[in-house]
Amino acid sequence: MVDSTAVTNSDVEKVLDEAGVSNPHVREYVTYWAGITGPARVEVVNASDDARLVAEALEAGELQPAGEGLYYSRSYYKDTARSEERTIVATSQPLDKGVYNNWHDGQEMTEAQLGRMRGQSAGKTMYVVPYLMAPQGSPLEAYAAGVELTDNRPVVLHMIRMARVGVSYLDQLEDPAHFVRAVHVTGDLENLGQGTPEDQRYFVTVADQRTILHFGSSYGGNALLGKIAHGLRQACYDGRASGRFLAEQFMLLGISDLETGKRWHIAGGFPSASGKTNLAMTLAPDALGSRYRVDFYGDDIAWLWVGDDGRVYAMNPEFGVFGVAKDTNASTNPGALDSIQPGSGAIFTNVAYNEKTQEVWWEGKTKNPPADLDGWLDWKGEKIADRENGDDSPWAHPNSRFTTTLANVPNVAADFEAPQGVPVDAIIFGGRTRDREPLVRAITDLAEGVYDGLTLGAEATFAADGLDGQLRYDPMSMRPFMAYGEGDYAAHWLEVIGKASQPPIFAHVNWFQRDAQDGHFLWPGYRENLRPLLWLMQFKEGEVEGVKTPVGVIPAESELVMDGLEVPAEDMSRILTIDTERWRQEMGFREEHLAQFDRLPEEIWEAHRRVAADLG
Ligand code: GDP
Ligand code: PGA
Ligand code: MN
Ligand code: MN
């Protein structure tokens, strides 16, 4: 029976007392929101509650067992990806309006969200999830604390894996009022009109109030507020407001040359579902494994700042990996499979599930789906055996995910929690681009590097609703997370990285060029992607010269380390060629793209004109 009597203020006070929440600002915030959303009870969460919460979720049918210490969950079938057009950045400053951030007035949006959320947690538990988006002791710790309030237990279980969660993080705040207020209310998912003109979902970051109000989803990308809304959108805003840092949708990895002892770190922005997790997790190809080691730091978010030594530093604010399941297998990403082994505590979402054997499956896990259909359910929970003949729709949702902690990742760096972060040698941009973009082009000039990021053009993916395959610009892979205008964003980049006396090299990479006839990927990708990165590091160190082109320096074919790898000669020459005609056409599109941005720094226009002039 649902207990629909809402908690009273004194019930909430008592729960907070018992949980040891003494921060008066946190107490006031929790009490205020309990009064709005009207839950039946309130519970404060520490990471150590995981086992109990998992048991409760299994009991309630919110999770299914998927092997020893592994879990399966399904989100509502109309709620399986981030929704970009329902996502809003709100402030009191119209100047914060950009082309992509869907800016609205903060007060208006706050009031509208209050109205939507009122009473919507009736009968439910409101979980209070204090979290930290940084390794403890980080120089950016002041921007990292938050408290998510959510009425959804699977969301809590995901938060425990994706962020550092516990009441103790609230005790260490320098300014006790300086934490992100992140409110998540699931809403009545079956009656929200997802994707219709009556859509009730709103995902709002009131950035100048450091308040996040998300209503109408339980899918991770919309509901794990520490990750997407705080770690990216809010931090993007805070980075500029403080003048101190950048918060970017970047993976972060280390490469060690075991022979020379050299070590490099590379940060890189690729749009959602375009290869960040795979790149950071990917082990060196077998033929290079005795010489090089790849260390994982982060797969989705990096915060960057300049250290006292004049180098750019980066850290991953997250605690876990929220990875795309599709095509993850022993040859593409053995590290990912290791990180979701029995006992890891991993949660699979929207994959296919066998209700009898408790196995999970997704497209590309094995070449063919399981032959014996008995017990198998697709991502909507429908029996595969009942499918009509000829129904070959995917068993798993293309955006199905696995959630596991960083510590489970086999190649996680020894110093992955080091508070001082790691020095960054290169910043790379890339995405799914089926033509034009070569395998790698190195850029040594800061303004040209920032220009290159701003003109990142790639195919959209299934990580966002309804956009799969659409070619679009995605500046620095931050299009869905931009907190303020793009021109100011570019200026902030130039200012922050411009402070570095030893700036990183930039590069653009593309693992996704395809053959125009049969569509095959020209580059084998995955573990082999280490090769162009090695070339980039050798180029930076002056060990290879490369070939100068108007859009950067590309490798001479002989310079790429190709031991143990065969790529057809014509594919190789295609991915290491600049199609000047196609690039000239691209420059016109870029001009239109950049012209949309207010206050774009003159340095960026100069870089654009330089490249255009070189292309002739
Ligand atoms: P992220 O969302 O940016 O972290 O991207 P993922 O690493 O999760 O990859 C998204 C999808 O792209 C998955 O289905 C991967 O299997 C696929 N993918 C990743 N890297 C490569 C690559 O180098 N080549 C090809 N062909 N596919 C890749
Ligand atoms: P992704 O992370 O970039 O790995 O897909 C989640 C997201 O951006 O929605
Ligand atoms: Mn992402
Ligand atoms: Mn990822």
Side-chain angles (χ1 to χ4, degrees), residues 132-145 164 169 172-174 244-246 302-305 313-318 415-422:
L132 190 69
M133 298 306 291
Q136 268 191 292
S138 159
L140 298 179
E141 192 170 325
Y143 307 95
R164 294 164 176 87
Y169 297 115
Q172 300 149 9
L173 305 181
E174 234 177 74
R244 285 183 59 188
F245 67 103
L246 305 169
W303 292 5
L304 295 90
W305 69 99
Y313 282 79
M315 64 89 166
N316 171 15
E318 301 196 85
D415 58 346
F416 81 98
E417 298 202 273
Q420 73 274 18
V422 294

Side-chain angles (χ1 to χ4, degrees), residues 286-318:
D286 291 338
L288 304 182
S290 59
R291 170 91 191 251
Y292 299 103
R293 193 185 69 228
V294 179
D295 288 325
F296 176 102
Y297 285 91
D299 73 320
D300 197 39
I301 306 179
W303 292 5
L304 295 90
W305 69 99
V306 176
D308 295 336
D309 59 358
R311 300 188 70 178
V312 173
Y313 282 79
M315 64 89 166
N316 171 15
E318 301 196 85

Side-chain angles (χ1 to χ4, degrees), residues 82 227-228 232 249-250 270-273 276-277 299-301 318 322 401 463 477 480-481:
R82 276 188 294 100
K227 175 184 180 60
I228 295 283
L232 284 170
Q249 185 182 213
F250 280 2
F270 303 62
S272 300
K276 294 180 302 298
T277 300
D299 73 320
D300 197 39
I301 306 179
E318 301 196 85
F322 183 58
R401 299 268 171 170
S477 78
F481 312 110

Side-chain angles (χ1 to χ4, degrees), residues 16 21-32 128 130 147 149 170 173 176-177 179 181:
L16 294 171
V21 178
S22 54
N23 181 326
H25 304 275
V26 175
R27 293 178 69 100
E28 189 191 329
Y29 156 68
V30 175
T31 311
Y32 173 75
V128 178
V147 180
L149 307 178
L170 298 175
L173 305 181
F179 61 92
R181 290 146 173 84

Side-chain angles (χ1 to χ4, degrees), residues 296-455:
F296 176 102
Y297 285 91
D299 73 320
D300 197 39
I301 306 179
W303 292 5
L304 295 90
W305 69 99
V306 176
D308 295 336
D309 59 358
R311 300 188 70 178
V312 173
Y313 282 79
M315 64 89 166
N316 171 15
E318 301 196 85
F319 191 64
V321 176
F322 183 58
V324 172
K326 186 175 182 334
D327 288 331
T328 303
N329 61 51
S331 88
T332 57
N333 195 341
L337 287 190
D338 274 357
S339 75
I340 52 180
Q341 285 302 306
S344 62
I347 302 174
F348 300 94
T349 306
N350 298 335
V351 299
Y353 177 66
N354 191 308
E355 58 184 347
K356 294 192 175 151
T357 63
Q358 304 179 347
E359 291 165 280
V360 289
W361 190 81
W362 51 81
E363 273 64 29
K365 183 174 191 232
T366 50
K367 191 157 178 285
N368 296 308
D372 181 1
L373 304 186
D374 188 36
W376 280 102
L377 305 176
D378 69 11
W379 62 273
K380 292 181 177 169
E382 285 163 8
K383 288 198 168 83
I384 304 279
D386 290 353
R387 284 187 165 190
E388 301 199 359
N389 270 345
D391 179 353
D392 58 357
S393 59
W395 287 26
H397 190 281
N399 191 39
S400 57
R401 299 268 171 170
F402 60 86
T403 307
T404 192
T405 55
L406 298 182
N408 283 328
V409 175
N411 68 321
V412 74
D415 58 346
F416 81 98
E417 298 202 273
Q420 73 274 18
V422 294
V424 175
D425 297 284
I427 294 176
I428 65 179
F429 298 109
R432 291 175 177 269
T433 314
R434 59 177 61 233
D435 62 2
R436 182 176 53 79
E437 278 294 356
L439 182 63
V440 53
R441 44 187 181 86
I443 298 166
T444 49
D445 175 74
L446 169 60
E448 273 177 42
V450 174
Y451 163 71
D452 184 72
L454 293 172
T455 51

Side-chain angles (χ1 to χ4, degrees), residues 578-586 615:
I578 300 295
D579 179 347
T580 309
E581 245 342 284
R582 187 69 186 69
W583 270 97
R584 283 190 190 126
Q585 181 197 29
E586 167 67 13
L615 280 163

Side-chain angles (χ1 to χ4, degrees), residues 104-322:
H104 283 68
D105 177 73
Q107 191 148 3
E108 257 170 52
M109 287 316 298
T110 304
E111 276 162 27
Q113 287 299 76
L114 272 171
R116 288 186 189 98
M117 290 175 162
R118 196 175 295 280
Q120 288 291 316
S121 300
K124 299 185 181 182
T125 300
M126 181 174 92
Y127 297 93
V128 178
V129 186
Y131 64 81
L132 190 69
M133 298 306 291
Q136 268 191 292
S138 159
L140 298 179
E141 192 170 325
Y143 307 95
V147 180
E148 175 161 351
L149 307 178
T150 176
D151 59 8
N152 191 295
R153 188 163 31 204
V155 167
V156 176
L157 295 172
H158 280 84
M159 276 297 288
I160 289 175
R161 283 154 183 74
M162 295 303 298
R164 294 164 176 87
V165 166
V167 173
S168 65
Y169 297 115
L170 298 175
D171 299 337
Q172 300 149 9
L173 305 181
E174 234 177 74
D175 172 354
H178 203 249
F179 61 92
V180 168
R181 290 146 173 84
V183 185
H184 168 244
V185 173
T186 305
D188 180 7
L189 294 173
E190 289 173 29
N191 292 295
L192 294 176
Q194 292 94 336
T196 73
E198 281 77 45
D199 206 324
Q200 299 298 305
R201 301 170 299 162
Y202 283 87
F203 308 117
V204 181
T205 298
V206 192
D208 53 357
Q209 298 294 322
R210 304 191 82 229
T211 296
I212 296 162
L213 305 173
H214 278 209
F215 174 72
S217 170
S218 72
Y219 165 71
N222 300 320
L224 304 178
L225 303 188
K227 175 184 180 60
I228 295 283
H230 180 167
L232 284 170
R233 237 169 257 122
Q234 181 66 52
C236 173
Y237 185 90
D238 291 345
R240 172 160 174 261
S242 66
R244 285 183 59 188
F245 67 103
L246 305 169
E248 306 294 328
Q249 185 182 213
F250 280 2
M251 63 90 218
L252 181 63
L253 58 77
I255 301 174
S256 293
D257 181 335
L258 304 172
E259 226 159 75
T260 63
K262 280 188 185 155
R263 184 163 170 76
W264 306 281
H265 299 98
I266 301 179
F270 303 62
S272 300
S274 302
K276 294 180 302 298
T277 300
N278 275 273
L279 188 60
M281 268 198 179
T282 292
L283 315 172
D286 291 338
L288 304 182
S290 59
R291 170 91 191 251
Y292 299 103
R293 193 185 69 228
V294 179
D295 288 325
F296 176 102
Y297 285 91
D299 73 320
D300 197 39
I301 306 179
W303 292 5
L304 295 90
W305 69 99
V306 176
D308 295 336
D309 59 358
R311 300 188 70 178
V312 173
Y313 282 79
M315 64 89 166
N316 171 15
E318 301 196 85
F319 191 64
V321 176
F322 183 58

